[in-house]
Amino acid sequence: MSTESRRLGEKARNDPRLVFSSLHHHVCDVDHLRACFEALPADRAVGIDGITKERYGANLEENLEALSSRLRNMGYRPQPKRRTYIPKPGSEKGRPLAISCFEDKLVELAIKRVLEPIYEVQFEDRSYGYRPGRSQHRCLDDLGRTIQQRRINYIVEADIRSFFNEVDHGWMLKFLRHRIGDPRIVRLIARLLKGGILEDGLVQASEEGTPQGSILSPLLSNIYLHYVLDLWFSYRVRPQSRGEAYYFRFADDFVAGFQNRQDAEHFQTALGERLRTFRLRLAEEKTRCLAFGRFARDNARARGEKPEEFTFLGFTHYCGKSKKGHFKVKRRTSRKKFGASLRAFNDWARRVRHKQTKGEMLIRAKARIQGHLNYYAITDNARSCSRYVYHATRILRRWLNRKSQRKAYNWDQYNDVLREVAWPRVQIRTDLNPFRRAEAC
C-alpha cells in the first residue's frame, strides 16, 4: 500500500462520516498511473482494440501523459467492453465476462486503488469477498466456528438472481456519494458503468449492472451490498432478533444463522422486500430456512428424517461429530461443483489432446488438479478430493491413449509416468478444524 493510500485509509478510519471531496487528482497522477501499469499482468485477454500491455508500454510515458491529460480535462471516454463467456454449471451459454481495453483497465485499477482504502475501513467484518487479507477459507472458518460455538439452530441460505447484471446505476452512484464528494470521480465511474458491451458485432448500452471481469466491479459490488445487506443486517435485523443472529457474505453469496426459528423466518420474508427496494431479485427457489446446529442431527433422526444440509462457497455443510462425539460442522465438495469440475477437466483434455504433447498434457493436468486441491482440500473433505483425483487421473489416461494407439499407456506404465511428474496427492491444505487449532494455541 502506498503512503497516499495509507493516509486516505487513516482519514476514513478516524472520521467515519468524512466525505472525500478531492480525490480526482490522485487518479490523474502520472506516477500513480505508472504504478498501475506495472501492476497489471501482461497475459490477460485484450479488449476490442486489441492493444496488449507490451504494445501500450512501447510508448509508455507518452501514453500516460495523454491519458492523464484526458482524465484531468474530463475528456476520457471508456470504450465498450468485449463480451465473452466462460463455462458455468447449469448454463449452456456460460457465465458472461466483460473484457475491458487495456487503457480502461488502467483507469479502473487507478480508481480502485484510490477508493479501496477508504471503503476497506468501513466495510462490515462479516464481508469477505475480494478484500485484502480475506478469502473463502477464512469465511468458511469463521462460519463453522460461529455455528459450533454460538447458539445457532437455523440457517437461511439465499441467492440473488443475476446480481452483477442487475445492479442499479442510480442506487450505485447514490451509495458512492455517501463518502465520495468529488463529482469528477462519481462521473468517471458512471461513464465506466455505462460504457457498453460489444457482442456479435453490436454495442449494447449498459443501463444496469456492473460487468463481471472488470477490475472495478468487485469493489463496486461490495459497496452496493454493504448498504443493501450488510448495514441492514447489523443495524436492523440483528437488534430486532430475539435470539442470537449472525451473517456471512462473500461477494453476492451469503448465509445467515439464527438461534430462533421465528427470527430466521422473519429474515427470509423481509429479505425479498429489501432486495426489491434496490432493484434486485431474490431467487426464491434457491432460498430456504433449515434446521442446522448442535441439536439438528439428533432432532431429525428422532423424527425418522435425514438432517438437512446447506451449500455455501462450493461446499455442502452438514452436521457431524468429532471423534470424541462432540457436534462438529463438516464440509464436502458440493455435488454440483464436483461434477462441473470433472466435466471441465474432461473437456480440456479432449480439446488439447491434438495440440499438446503427452508431457505437456501431464504437466498442465497436474496444475489443474493441484488448483482444485488448493481450494477443496480442507478438513473433513479428503474423501471427495480423493474421488476427484481418482476420476481425473482416469480421464487423463483415456485421452492420452487416444493420441496414439501404438503408444498407449498400460496401467503400470501410466503409474510410472505419474510418479515421475510427482502426481498430486490428497493432503489437507487448509485446516478448518477448530478443535485441533484451539489445542495448538
Side-chain angles (χ1 to χ4, degrees):
M1 180 183 291
S2 67
T3 303
E4 198 60 42
S5 296
R6 191 178 298 109
R7 187 178 67 84
L8 290 173
E10 290 174 356
K11 290 179 67 176
R13 182 182 294 106
N14 294 334
D15 188 354
R17 297 188 177 183
L18 176 64
V19 178
F20 291 81
S21 59
S22 181
L23 294 173
H24 190 250
H25 66 283
H26 295 300
V27 176
C28 302
D29 183 71
V30 174
D31 291 334
H32 180 59
L33 292 172
R34 187 182 300 109
C36 292
F37 172 84
E38 297 296 336
L40 285 172
D43 58 348
R44 294 296 186 265
V46 298
I48 63 173
D49 59 1
I51 294 179
T52 63
K53 179 177 180 178
E54 181 181 5
R55 182 176 170 186
Y56 192 87
N59 296 303
L60 181 60
E61 295 305 319
E62 180 180 340
N63 288 333
L64 293 181
E65 289 288 349
L67 176 60
S68 176
S69 177
R70 280 182 282 131
L71 287 169
R72 284 195 304 270
N73 298 328
M74 295 305 296
Y76 169 78
R77 293 289 187 277
Q79 299 187 64
K81 295 173 172 56
R82 178 173 63 85
R83 175 75 81 202
T84 188
Y85 293 87
I86 60 174
K88 177 183 177 181
S91 173
E92 294 184 2
K93 196 170 186 179
R95 185 187 304 277
L97 291 183
I99 309 301
S100 303
C101 296
F102 184 82
E103 192 169 71
D104 294 339
K105 294 178 183 177
L106 205 57
V107 175
E108 290 169 5
L109 183 56
I111 297 173
K112 178 187 175 185
R113 287 190 166 191
V114 171
L115 297 188
E116 191 171 62
I118 296 173
Y119 282 100
E120 187 57 32
V121 299
Q122 181 179 352
F123 287 150
E124 295 288 291
D125 192 49
R126 295 305 186 182
S127 166
Y128 295 85
Y130 310 118
R131 295 180 59 189
R134 291 170 175 255
S135 66
Q136 291 101 321
H137 289 147
R138 179 175 170 182
C139 182
L140 291 167
D141 195 14
D142 288 348
L143 171 61
R145 286 174 177 272
T146 299
I147 294 175
Q148 289 186 192
Q149 299 174 8
R150 303 296 181 182
R151 297 173 180 174
I152 299 298
N153 298 315
Y154 299 93
I155 293 290
V156 175
E157 61 170 332
D159 185 79
I160 303 176
R161 193 184 304 278
S162 303
F163 167 72
F164 288 94
N165 295 331
E166 297 191 0
V167 167
D168 184 79
H169 291 175
W171 279 113
M172 182 78 258
L173 300 179
K174 187 178 295 186
F175 292 150
L176 284 169
R177 293 189 183 101
H178 282 303
R179 298 231 67 179
I180 309 302
D182 191 333
R184 296 166 297 179
I185 291 289
V186 177
R187 194 183 313 160
L188 184 56
I189 293 175
R191 288 179 180 177
L192 288 167
L193 288 173
K194 298 181 182 297
I197 301 291
L198 177 65
E199 184 174 11
D200 298 329
L202 298 175
V203 176
Q204 303 174 0
S206 302
E207 299 299 332
E208 59 184 11
T210 171
Q212 289 179 274
S214 163
I215 293 174
L216 197 56
S217 181
L219 177 60
L220 294 181
S221 65
N222 270 338
I223 294 172
Y224 200 90
L225 291 177
H226 170 74
Y227 289 101
V228 174
L229 290 177
D230 301 357
L231 294 182
W232 175 61
F233 193 92
S234 294
Y235 293 100
R236 293 289 296 277
V237 175
R238 183 181 292 127
Q240 294 176 2
S241 298
R242 297 182 179 182
E244 297 185 23
Y246 302 92
Y247 163 84
F248 300 85
R249 181 177 65 82
F250 191 96
D252 61 328
D253 294 330
F254 62 96
V255 295
F258 297 88
Q259 181 181 356
N260 297 329
R261 175 182 286 275
Q262 184 178 359
D263 293 334
E265 292 175 345
H266 180 266
F267 170 75
Q268 182 181 359
T269 302
L271 180 60
E273 181 60 33
R274 177 70 179 180
L275 293 178
R276 282 192 293 272
T277 301
F278 298 97
R279 307 290 181 86
L280 297 175
R281 294 180 297 157
L282 186 66
E284 300 287 351
E285 70 281 2
K286 298 181 181 179
T287 302
R288 63 189 181 118
C289 174
L290 64 145
F292 195 95
R294 64 181 67 252
F295 306 113
R297 180 189 179 105
D298 294 337
N299 291 341
R301 290 185 172 178
R303 297 190 303 267
E305 302 173 355
K306 294 180 63 176
E308 295 183 281
E309 305 171 343
F310 71 93
T311 300
F312 183 54
L313 298 182
F315 291 92
T316 296
H317 295 63
Y318 61 98
C319 298
K321 288 187 177 182
S322 68
K323 292 181 179 179
K324 296 182 179 180
H326 301 300
F327 165 71
K328 182 181 181 183
V329 177
K330 292 189 174 183
R331 310 167 185 86
R332 62 175 178 269
T333 308
S334 73
R335 182 179 300 179
K336 180 179 178 181
K337 294 294 184 181
F338 186 90
S341 185
L342 280 181
R343 285 192 295 273
F345 186 89
N346 182 74
D347 291 343
W348 166 80
R350 174 180 53 80
R351 189 173 62 254
V352 304
R353 74 186 190 278
H354 296 311
K355 303 176 182 178
Q356 298 181 2
T357 65
K358 289 184 176 181
E360 290 172 340
M361 284 186 66
L362 283 161
I363 296 302
R364 292 303 306 155
K366 174 185 173 181
R368 294 177 73 95
I369 293 176
Q370 192 71 55
H372 180 93
L373 295 178
N374 286 344
Y375 183 72
Y376 287 103
I378 65 172
T379 305
D380 299 319
N381 196 38
R383 179 178 295 180
S384 290
C385 290
S386 295
R387 287 178 54 227
Y388 178 83
V389 175
Y390 174 86
H391 289 293
T393 303
R394 277 149 181 77
I395 289 171
L396 180 63
R397 177 178 177 267
R398 182 171 71 249
W399 289 113
L400 284 174
N401 284 344
R402 289 193 180 188
K403 288 176 65 68
S404 173
Q405 293 297 329
R406 294 183 179 180
K407 298 182 180 180
Y409 290 126
N410 60 36
W411 277 108
D412 290 337
Q413 294 170 332
Y414 187 50
N415 287 327
D416 289 341
V417 170
L418 296 183
R419 281 191 289 271
E420 287 181 12
V421 299
W423 200 243
R425 300 179 62 184
V426 177
Q427 296 176 328
I428 300 302
R429 268 67 166 177
T430 304
D431 186 2
L432 300 185
N433 186 337
F435 303 112
R436 186 183 306 132
R437 294 176 66 182
E439 293 169 356
C441 295

